[in-house]
Amino acid sequence: MNSQFASTFGLTAPGFPVVAGSTVQRVYDDLRKRIITIQLPPDTTLSRTELTETYQVSQTPIRDALQLLKQEGLVRIYPQSRTVVTRIDVLQIYEAHFLRVALETEVCRRLATDPDPDPSVITRARSIIKMQAAVADDADQIAIFQELDELFHQTLFAGAKRSSLHQLIRERSGHLERIRRLHLPEKGKIVSILDGHHAIIDAIAARNEQGAVDAIREHLSRTVAKVEDLRKEFPDYFV
């Protein structure tokens, strides 16, 4: 979730960290967003000269931003040559999914059993769902829908006081986020996401531990179950 977007919706209160807007961070955030939303598809060559012109910065922040993307496995850097957006790696998808399920299941369990729950977590999560519903029928707003989806999950981690673990997931989920973007246009997918978010929050609000665990597991498994179908549909996007 980039800081400008979060600020626009008034979602930068304590518990929702916003990274300082350094030049490197700004370039990294925008390039990452363009990669995970497939605006920059796999195999796209990134010219440092063109990037410096696009972002009106020197070569140094471009180099540093690309290094961050390389660490996430989203680009491959060929020294003295070029930088290319990587293809989607199925193994990394499954590893990121394993990590997400393990961490988010525990987050939801803790939220549902917290002896002193913070009601603002539920309120904030429901507000995000409403915002998602408001843009759900607009194909031009699909990137906003995806950002709100990330913010929803960030809200759960913040509520459990585990925001740094959400950042860990983000750093490991670039390939997973790309297939989520490919899956979003499928008929009924957005509705299923909204239903899943409602089920998760309803269970947490009702203090239903098993219900919350079951809801988050089902919610996180839907896209991964479509990996092979997506690989057949977009063969040039995958390793």
Side-chain angles (χ1 to χ4, degrees):
M1 173 57 54
N2 73 45
S3 58
Q4 182 179 2
F5 179 84
S7 179
T8 299
F9 286 98
L11 296 168
T12 57
F16 295 86
V18 174
V19 179
S22 70
T23 301
V24 174
Q25 190 70 38
R26 175 173 63 84
V27 174
Y28 161 76
D29 282 343
D30 191 66
L31 280 174
R32 187 181 191 279
K33 178 181 176 180
R34 292 167 67 193
I35 291 172
I36 67 173
T37 58
I38 318 296
Q39 294 175 48
L40 293 172
D43 293 337
T44 298
T45 297
L46 304 178
S47 163
R48 293 195 183 189
T49 300
E50 291 178 4
L51 292 176
T52 60
E53 294 174 357
T54 297
Y55 294 105
Q56 293 295 293
V57 297
S58 67
Q59 286 272 350
T60 300
I62 295 296
R63 180 199 63 205
D64 293 346
L66 291 175
Q67 284 294 331
L68 291 173
L69 293 168
K70 177 186 176 182
Q71 290 173 19
E72 290 190 49
L74 293 176
V75 302
R76 180 172 292 108
I77 298 174
Y78 297 90
Q80 310 303 319
S81 178
R82 67 194 191 283
T83 299
V84 178
V85 177
T86 58
R87 291 195 175 198
I88 300 171
D89 188 319
V90 173
L91 177 59
Q92 291 196 43
I93 290 171
Y94 288 130
E95 288 183 349
H97 177 252
F98 185 93
L99 179 64
R100 281 197 75 174
V101 170
L103 293 177
E104 294 206 41
T105 296
E106 187 59 26
V107 163
C108 288
R109 187 193 308 279
R110 292 195 175 203
L111 289 173
T113 59
D114 189 341
D116 185 25
D118 179 357
S120 71
V121 175
I122 301 299
T123 300
R124 193 174 292 271
R126 292 199 193 282
S127 295
I128 295 167
I129 296 171
K130 288 180 181 178
M131 286 189 284
Q132 284 190 289
V135 300
D137 295 328
D138 187 346
D140 293 333
Q141 299 297 321
I142 197 165
I144 297 296
F145 185 93
Q146 189 172 6
E147 288 197 55
L148 285 165
D149 185 79
E150 182 181 346
L151 185 58
F152 174 85
H153 291 274
Q154 181 183 350
T155 300
L156 301 184
F157 278 86
K161 298 179 176 59
R162 295 293 184 272
S163 291
S164 62
L165 293 181
H166 180 268
Q167 180 62 26
L168 173 63
I169 287 177
R170 184 178 187 272
E171 293 168 357
R172 302 293 182 87
S173 295
H175 294 272
L176 177 59
E177 289 183 45
R178 287 195 283 178
I179 67 158
R180 288 170 63 201
R181 177 62 180 82
L182 292 175
H183 192 200
L184 269 179
E186 181 179 289
K187 184 178 180 180
K189 173 58 180 174
I190 284 180
V191 172
S192 75
I193 290 173
L194 292 172
D195 289 345
H197 286 180
H198 278 297
I200 293 163
I201 292 303
D202 288 347
I204 291 172
R207 318 290 288 158
N208 180 351
E209 177 184 355
Q210 191 58 50
V213 168
D214 291 344
I216 191 67
R217 283 183 176 274
E218 180 180 358
H219 178 66
L220 294 178
S221 298
R222 290 172 180 168
T223 292
V224 170
K226 301 288 290 186
V227 167
E228 292 307 319
D229 290 339
L230 290 169
R231 181 151 61 171
K232 291 176 183 176
E233 185 176 355
F234 302 97
D236 293 338
Y237 283 6
F238 289 79
V239 174

